[in-house]
Amino acid sequence: MGELMPTVCVPLDIQLMQRAEEGMKIMSIKEIEEINSANGVMVLTQSQLTTFLKIQHALGKYIYFNEGPLNKYAVIDPTYLVEVLRSVVTEEEFWPKTEDIRNIYVILRDKGILTKADLLKLWEQEEYRSLEGYKDYMIKMLIHLDILIEPRSSFLSEIQVPENEIFYLVPCMIKQPAKGQTSKSTLVST
């Protein structure tokens, strides 16, 4: 990336890049710590490891948020996040041909709502198999990035979702304002 890096970070960086080249997309911090601990004199302390991941995140090489439940994993292949985003936000011409999946996208397109059960069904498709074991983490990541929004209870009366169903709003898919809201175009005075 053209940035200078302390020599002690190089072995771990190379090892993580190799894992990504081998097809790994996400790694737990425990797995990264195990790789790091095998690096003899080039072992990073816990503080250095966290700093390394935060710097690599800032450079766009890895995705790591050192907060809440997101600090347990790192995405070592950031392009994979694009694939995950595509599973939620995609144009109709790219929808899979299977009817049950298309129905999920129709509801998402028309209402901007995605149930957790439907999201998990989308991720059962072959191209998302590598999410196995990381689905809850990725949901938290999408919430953190505001791709998915957990609605407040005051909003629940406005929409029709089966009772006790976990669901998310997908703001970029919402095409019309909620009841009682005016669109930007109607706010222009003449």
Side-chain angles (χ1 to χ4, degrees), residues 1-55:
M1 297 291 189
E3 295 290 325
L4 294 176
M5 179 185 340
T7 310
V8 72
C9 296
V10 173
L12 180 60
D13 191 37
I14 291 171
Q15 291 163 322
L16 294 180
M17 286 189 307
Q18 287 172 337
R19 298 295 193 295
E21 288 172 5
E22 292 168 0
M24 289 189 84
K25 311 294 185 189
I26 301 169
M27 290 185 75
S28 74
I29 298 305
K30 289 188 186 296
E31 291 172 311
I32 294 172
E33 288 170 347
E34 288 172 11
I35 293 169
N36 178 50
S37 68
N39 285 336
V41 295
M42 303 291 255
V43 172
L44 300 174
T45 66
Q46 188 62 45
S47 174
Q48 289 172 324
L49 178 60
T50 300
T51 301
F52 166 78
L53 290 170
K54 287 164 61 173
I55 289 170

Side-chain angles (χ1 to χ4, degrees), residues 147-187:
I147 304 303
L148 301 177
I149 305 288
E150 295 177 297
R152 294 189 171 89
S153 60
S154 62
F155 184 75
L156 297 178
S157 62
E158 299 277 329
I159 58 175
Q160 299 170 352
V161 174
E163 202 169 313
N164 299 323
E165 182 86 56
I166 296 172
F167 70 97
Y168 310 99
L169 298 175
V170 184
C172 63
M173 298 297 286
I174 297 174
K175 295 181 180 168
Q176 49 189 309
K179 293 178 186 175
Q181 300 283 327
T182 56
S183 68
K184 290 180 184 177
S185 62
T186 61
L187 293 176

Side-chain angles (χ1 to χ4, degrees), residues 6-132:
T7 310
V8 72
C9 296
V10 173
L12 180 60
D13 191 37
I14 291 171
Q15 291 163 322
L16 294 180
M17 286 189 307
Q18 287 172 337
R19 298 295 193 295
E21 288 172 5
E22 292 168 0
M24 289 189 84
K25 311 294 185 189
I26 301 169
M27 290 185 75
S28 74
I29 298 305
K30 289 188 186 296
E31 291 172 311
I32 294 172
E33 288 170 347
E34 288 172 11
I35 293 169
N36 178 50
S37 68
N39 285 336
V41 295
M42 303 291 255
V43 172
L44 300 174
T45 66
Q46 188 62 45
S47 174
Q48 289 172 324
L49 178 60
T50 300
T51 301
F52 166 78
L53 290 170
K54 287 164 61 173
I55 289 170
Q56 296 301 329
H57 172 88
L59 295 173
K61 193 166 187 181
Y62 307 126
I63 299 173
Y64 174 70
F65 294 101
N66 189 27
E67 54 189 70
L70 296 177
N71 69 357
K72 307 244 184 300
Y73 297 94
V75 178
I76 61 169
D77 181 1
T79 59
Y80 186 63
L81 189 55
V82 174
E83 292 299 312
V84 173
L85 292 172
R86 189 176 61 84
S87 73
V88 176
V89 181
T90 189
E91 288 292 321
E92 190 168 346
E93 64 187 273
F94 301 113
W95 292 358
K97 302 295 183 220
T98 57
E99 187 175 336
D100 56 337
I101 299 294
R102 290 186 72 79
N103 288 338
I104 293 169
Y105 284 119
V106 167
I107 293 168
L108 182 57
R109 177 196 64 203
D110 293 346
K111 297 182 179 183
I113 296 171
L114 181 63
T115 65
K116 183 175 182 178
D118 284 345
L119 177 58
L120 296 176
K121 187 169 188 85
L122 292 174
W123 288 349
E124 287 174 2
Q125 297 175 86
E126 185 62 37
E127 59 263 40
Y128 306 108
R129 295 272 187 230
S130 58
L131 272 175
E132 199 59 47

